[in-house]
Amino acid sequence: RSNPDPRHLACRQRNKQSPVPPTQPQGPQAATRPMARTCNAVKRQRVATVESALFNPDVVFLVAALLDARDLCQVSLTCKTLGGKRANVDGLSLVEEAARRLFECASEWERSCLRKYPDEGWIELHHHLLMLRSKLTFDQLVGINIQHGELKSIIRAAGQLNASSALCSDHVMRSGKHFAVFTGSGVGSIGVVRPVQVKLSDFGEGELNNYHPSNYSVWEYLLGQRTDRWTDSNVHCC
């Protein structure tokens, strides 16, 4: 066998002793990659700093004190950080925790009037607390012989002979003592009714021209809105 060329032996020896380094990216892309990673890290750090400053129970509580229940619901839908459940606040979202703390700041009498239902959220309970503090208004007028006056707390007959009703559906009494003062003239009656919603679309034309909760024609409709909070009672008005 012939002897190999010494130059080939030297080349193979150099390849074994000095491996070729891995190929590195060339051009401006190679220089910008570390910079991009640095910028992303700085951005994440800034976001984390803002979240830790704003998205904590104390700050959300101060903001919630300026909002009503409807606004709180909108806030909870903005992002998971505000609306998602968190283990460090008893499994409540930040907004629910803020509503709970607002309710705990209520007076002893207010809390005694608003016993929390098992299926009730803190935002809903906060809504009823605000309603308890607000002025009574007739938010539902049913019948053709009734209309609002200058304010929603004032009603007037519309000149018809039909029975009509004005309901304060947003003000729910669940426990404690409540009272209201009414002034008026003419023929009328005052009573208590379950928190029901009378939808005009559920009735045909003229069916609600003569309306009173005690009318037999609407009993089944009103009882059909019963919930578990009624317990075993079938009384819808008195």
Side-chain angles (χ1 to χ4, degrees):
R1 178 181 299 180
S2 60
N3 292 330
D5 191 336
R7 290 175 298 177
H8 292 169
L9 290 174
C11 181
R12 287 198 295 269
Q13 187 67 22
R14 284 197 302 270
N15 290 340
K16 291 181 180 179
Q17 294 178 354
S18 304
V20 178
T23 304
Q24 299 293 332
Q26 303 296 323
Q29 183 180 3
T32 57
R33 283 183 179 178
M35 183 179 298
R37 288 196 295 267
T38 303
C39 292
N40 290 336
V42 172
K43 183 178 180 180
R44 287 193 297 268
Q45 181 63 33
R46 289 177 179 175
V47 171
T49 302
V50 172
E51 287 184 348
S52 63
L54 296 180
F55 298 150
N56 67 74
D58 293 331
V59 173
V60 178
F61 168 73
L62 295 175
V63 174
L66 305 175
L67 306 175
D68 60 19
R70 181 176 299 178
D71 292 332
L72 285 180
C73 289
Q74 295 297 324
V75 171
S76 67
L77 296 175
T78 56
C79 63
K80 291 183 179 180
T81 306
L82 291 171
K85 294 183 179 180
R86 299 162 66 94
N88 60 339
V89 284
D90 299 329
L92 301 174
S93 68
L94 284 175
V95 177
E96 283 278 347
E97 170 63 12
R100 183 187 68 81
R101 292 171 63 176
L102 287 172
F103 181 78
E104 290 180 348
C105 293
S107 67
E108 182 178 355
W109 175 80
E110 289 173 330
R111 294 196 303 272
S112 68
C113 293
L114 295 171
R115 304 290 185 182
K116 186 177 181 295
Y117 294 114
D119 62 340
E120 186 174 29
W122 289 103
I123 295 179
E124 181 184 355
L125 191 62
H126 176 61
H127 166 73
H128 290 291
L129 174 63
L130 297 180
M131 290 295 98
L132 184 66
R133 293 172 175 174
S134 64
K135 189 176 181 180
L136 280 175
T137 58
F138 299 106
D139 58 285
Q140 282 195 94
L141 302 183
V142 188
I144 62 173
N145 189 31
I146 197 168
Q147 61 187 15
H148 282 117
E150 294 80 5
L151 302 172
K152 283 197 171 184
S153 58
I154 301 174
I155 55 171
R156 293 193 177 96
Q160 305 290 329
L161 298 178
N162 303 65
S164 300
S165 298
L167 308 177
C168 303
S169 302
D170 286 338
H171 295 75
V172 181
M173 300 180 294
R174 59 179 76 185
S175 62
K177 296 181 179 179
H178 301 257
F179 72 92
V181 178
F182 297 89
T183 58
S185 59
V187 179
S189 61
I190 298 173
V192 179
V193 67
R194 294 279 187 178
V196 295
Q197 294 291 328
V198 181
K199 298 180 181 180
L200 299 180
S201 58
D202 293 337
F203 296 86
E205 183 178 357
E207 288 186 323
L208 291 178
N209 288 348
N210 190 62
Y211 176 84
H212 192 279
S214 63
N215 289 352
Y216 179 77
S217 59
V218 296
W219 281 7
E220 293 298 326
Y221 176 80
L222 297 178
L223 289 175
Q225 298 190 36
R226 66 180 301 154
T227 66
D228 292 339
R229 298 179 184 180
W230 289 35
T231 62
D232 57 350
S233 174
N234 64 351
V235 178
H236 66 274
C237 71
C238 61

